[in-house]
Amino acid sequence: MTNDPAVCSAKGCRSAAVWVLAWNNPKLHTPERRKTWLACEEHRAHLSDFLGMRNFLKDVVALETWRARERE
């Protein structure tokens, strides 16, 4: 992930993302692998619920915190 303007991953949404939803599909990915979706405030719960119902959701982190971790 770069410092480019982050946009929500919800279909049709162009709002600024403020959350990172880290997930993986255990049928396809190794346990340590993390894919990411970005979410604005409005879509955080919806995207989290979608991933959570499939047991894919691993973590929800503020975008600024995620980027700070990447810089470490």
Side-chain angles (χ1 to χ4, degrees), residues 2-63:
T2 65
N3 284 327
D4 295 335
V7 176
C8 181
S9 297
K11 185 175 182 177
C13 185
R14 303 308 305 157
S15 296
V18 292
W19 298 100
V20 175
L21 287 64
W23 63 278
N24 83 3
N25 179 341
K27 292 181 181 178
L28 302 175
H29 307 121
T30 59
E32 66 279 353
R33 173 94 187 266
R34 292 294 180 266
K35 305 279 283 176
T36 57
W37 281 356
L38 302 177
C40 64
E41 288 292 348
E42 181 181 351
H43 291 112
R44 176 187 174 189
H46 172 74
L47 294 173
S48 293
D49 290 347
F50 179 89
L51 292 169
M53 287 177 15
R54 290 155 181 80
N55 293 320
F56 291 177
L57 187 62
K58 304 301 178 194
D59 202 5
V60 178
V61 180
L63 179 59

